[in-house]
Amino acid sequence: MVRRKARTEDVTSVLGALRDPRRLRTEVLAALVVALALVPEAISFSIIAGVDPRVGLFASFTMAVSIAFLGGRPAMISAATGAVALVIAPVMRDHGMDHLIATVILAGVIQVVLGALGVARLMRFIPRSVMVGFVNALAILIFLAQLPYLTDVPWMVYAMAAVGIIVMVLLPKLTTAVPAPLVAIVVLTTVTVAFAIDVPDVGDQGELPDSLPALFLPDVPLTLETLQVIGPFAVAMALVGLMESLMTAKLVDDVTDTHSDKTREAWGQGVANVVTGFFGGMGGCAMIGQTMINVKASRARTRISTFLAGLFLLVLVVGFGDLIGRIPMAALVAVMVMVCVGTFDWHSVRPATLRRMPKSETTVMLATVVVTVLTNNLAWGVLTGVVVAAVMFVNRVAHFTRVVEVDHPEEDTRVYAVVGELFWASSNDLVYQFDYTGDPRNVVIDMSQSHIWDASTVATLDAITTKYAERGKRVTITGLNEASADRHTRLAGTLGG
């Protein structure tokens, strides 16, 4: 345990990276790649939300810089996201910019409260099959998001995207000194500019800002009516943002073999959204695609890359907007396609794996993927996966409980043993497993091999006792462990008419 903690702190240590030129170079170059990839994404999400591109770009800057200090998962990238944009778009459409910013700030406050209440602990209830489905759905969504840039475009776009992919596949075999995605972007941009190739570029996605973000105070009345308007959207944004952020943090934990503070990440996301709102940003959460670029493609591990990604983004769009606008979209599409390939869990869909995997696990994974892709919302997919997993688990364990006849100590006594865990699903059929008419006057129910988990089970035992009593027979319940006995003593006889 001590050895693991020391390794984790060393890998994610900012001081450690600052003292190691090789690691520092990795962090800086990774941040540059992420910043370049964030530009078209932020602009696209701004369009989804119905706001000016600068709103999404400033949100990405403030989110990344804030979460670099506040977040619990080093090297994770937070910025403006599509899921958040979809949630808050109706506010902008129906009520305008001031209400949208008020929604973002309120959502941040809600996230802080949820983080303080320990919402991150709910991550333990997300099964592995849901995580696999989440990852696979993410890869599919990232790929589908690239298709508009590959539709009705000059043939050179396909050629350049192919070259970019080839560079990212082959370069790491020769050297890892420079991130392959950065090399691909620089090479393709240079070729495009040098030969004046007419292909879609970043500049076509929207106008880039030419000034720094300024303090923005939303002009909305502080009334109950305003709260009724923005409240539902703020709650939805808070929940969607936290779910995506915590799922991404867990994914990064697995990829980097390090542990992160999910509670800190939860309230850190809230504070970052509050800060973003007061600077006129549209809010956001963890970005899985850019995070995978950072930690998987570029091998960054510390908060340095997160902070510099936000800083580089601001410098690039404000100071070098004309140059950034010349980056061909084909280069960024190639980067994101490689992210898809690296993110998808190919092992989970191999025939050999599917043959060994229980059908229930595969069903949960597929349900997560299908709902996520159909709704274009990772949060809905995860919720569906968790619900399907819970239903299948309950259905499976409900049939483990059984009643067996174990002894006839006397002619007028019969002993039954209840084997298995007893809760609302498994105890429903318990009442039908006794011979009320044929049993003798005394019935003993031995509970030493079971456990009472809820009031439903106590109600079932009451029903069994009542059925025997109606026939003039007496029931004795024995073998209860301490917790079960306490629950039975408190509830028996109080749950029915």
Side-chain angles (χ1 to χ4, degrees):
M1 179 66 73
V2 174
R3 192 160 43 232
R4 176 179 174 82
K5 183 178 180 181
R7 182 186 64 172
T8 298
E9 290 178 348
D10 182 62
V11 170
T12 62
S13 169
V14 172
L15 289 177
L18 291 174
R19 292 168 180 165
D20 185 340
R22 182 181 59 83
R23 288 179 56 194
L24 182 59
R25 182 184 65 226
T26 298
E27 298 290 321
V28 173
L29 294 178
L32 183 57
V33 175
V34 171
L36 292 171
L38 276 174
V39 176
E41 293 277 324
I43 295 174
S44 298
F45 298 147
S46 298
I47 295 171
I48 292 174
V51 298
D52 189 273
R54 71 183 63 222
V55 177
L57 289 166
F58 287 161
S60 295
F61 159 68
T62 53
M63 284 293 297
V65 170
S66 298
I67 210 67
F69 295 97
L70 300 168
R73 173 63 258 178
M76 191 166 77
I77 304 298
S78 292
T81 60
V84 168
L86 287 170
V87 171
I88 63 176
V91 182
M92 181 65 190
R93 182 186 64 241
D94 299 334
H95 303 283
M97 185 66 180
D98 288 291
H99 278 77
L100 181 139
I101 297 303
T103 302
V104 172
I105 295 172
L106 179 58
V109 173
I110 294 172
Q111 287 178 327
V112 171
V113 173
L114 292 175
L117 292 176
V119 69
R121 288 195 292 270
L122 296 178
M123 286 296 296
R124 72 184 67 181
F125 297 108
I126 298 180
R128 178 186 178 278
S129 297
V130 175
M131 278 298 300
V132 173
F134 169 80
V135 169
N136 291 346
L138 164 68
I140 294 171
L141 286 180
I142 294 174
F143 179 77
L144 293 177
Q146 311 314 307
L147 294 183
Y149 304 117
L150 297 174
T151 304
D152 296 328
V153 293
W155 69 269
M156 279 297 295
V157 171
Y158 303 106
M160 295 176 71
V163 170
I165 291 173
I166 291 172
V167 169
M168 285 181 281
V169 170
L170 298 181
L171 184 62
K173 301 180 185 299
L174 302 176
T175 178
T176 57
V178 180
L182 179 59
V183 174
I185 292 172
V186 171
V187 168
L188 292 177
T189 302
T190 302
V191 169
T192 301
V193 174
F195 293 95
I197 302 175
D198 185 18
V199 293
D201 54 30
V202 171
D204 296 329
Q205 305 304 306
E207 183 181 355
L208 299 177
D210 55 6
S211 61
L212 297 175
L215 191 63
F216 185 99
L217 297 177
D219 184 16
V220 295
L222 300 177
T223 62
L224 182 59
E225 182 180 356
T226 300
L227 183 61
Q228 290 174 335
V229 169
I230 69 174
F233 296 100
V235 171
M237 175 183 164
L239 294 177
V240 168
L242 279 182
M243 186 173 294
E244 291 208 26
S245 298
L246 294 176
M247 290 287 285
T248 305
K250 192 173 188 304
L251 178 61
V252 177
D253 288 354
D254 294 339
V255 170
T256 62
D257 193 27
T258 60
H259 178 68
S260 61
D261 186 342
K262 305 300 187 302
T263 296
R264 177 176 174 180
E265 184 63 43
W267 62 256
Q269 288 284 334
V271 176
N273 271 307
V274 171
V275 172
T276 297
F278 280 120
F279 278 94
M282 58 182 276
C285 62
M287 293 194 75
I288 308 172
Q290 274 63 27
T291 297
M292 288 297 100
I293 292 176
N294 198 41
V295 301
K296 202 163 188 178
S298 302
R299 307 181 312 283
R301 293 293 182 268
T302 76
R303 299 174 186 276
I304 295 174
S305 59
T306 306
F307 172 76
L308 289 181
L311 187 61
F312 284 161
L313 173 65
L314 184 66
V315 172
L316 288 172
V317 298
V318 174
F320 301 92
D322 293 338
L323 178 60
I324 297 302
R326 300 295 300 275
I327 296 176
M329 288 303 300
L332 298 176
V333 167
V335 172
M336 298 309 293
V337 167
M338 289 304 295
V339 169
C340 296
V341 173
T343 300
F344 196 90
D345 187 348
W346 297 102
H347 177 76
S348 67
V349 295
R350 290 176 182 170
T353 302
L354 293 175
R355 282 195 298 270
R356 289 194 300 268
M357 191 68 65
K359 288 184 173 58
S360 59
E361 300 284 332
T362 302
T363 301
V364 171
M365 186 267 285
L366 291 176
T368 304
V369 171
V370 170
V371 173
T372 300
V373 172
L374 290 179
T375 63
N376 199 35
N377 191 318
L378 290 163
W380 282 116
V382 171
L383 286 173
T384 300
V386 171
V387 170
V388 172
V391 170
M392 290 195 163
F393 172 77
V394 169
N395 181 64
R396 190 164 60 247
V397 301
H399 301 294
F400 287 166
T401 303
R402 67 187 190 279
V403 176
V404 294
E405 185 179 344
V406 295
D407 200 5
H408 282 280
E410 299 176 12
E411 187 64 29
D412 64 345
T413 302
R414 177 167 291 175
V415 179
Y416 290 99
V418 180
V419 181
E421 303 301 302
L422 293 172
F423 63 106
W424 55 269
S426 61
S427 64
N428 276 340
D429 295 333
L430 197 64
V431 71
Y432 305 112
Q433 298 186 44
F434 295 88
D435 186 2
Y436 302 103
T437 302
D439 281 344
R441 286 189 308 150
N442 296 311
V443 175
V444 177
I445 301 178
D446 181 6
M447 305 283 289
S448 59
Q449 300 179 68
S450 63
H451 185 103
I452 297 176
W453 286 103
D454 61 3
S456 295
T457 301
V458 177
T460 298
L461 293 175
D462 283 352
I464 293 170
T465 303
T466 300
K467 285 180 178 292
Y468 275 114
E470 289 171 349
R471 292 164 175 80
K473 301 173 183 181
R474 184 169 65 89
V475 174
T476 304
I477 298 176
T478 64
L480 291 171
N481 58 39
E482 183 177 351
S484 298
D486 177 67
R487 184 171 285 111
H488 186 263
T489 300
R490 283 188 291 109
L491 298 177
T494 66
L495 300 174

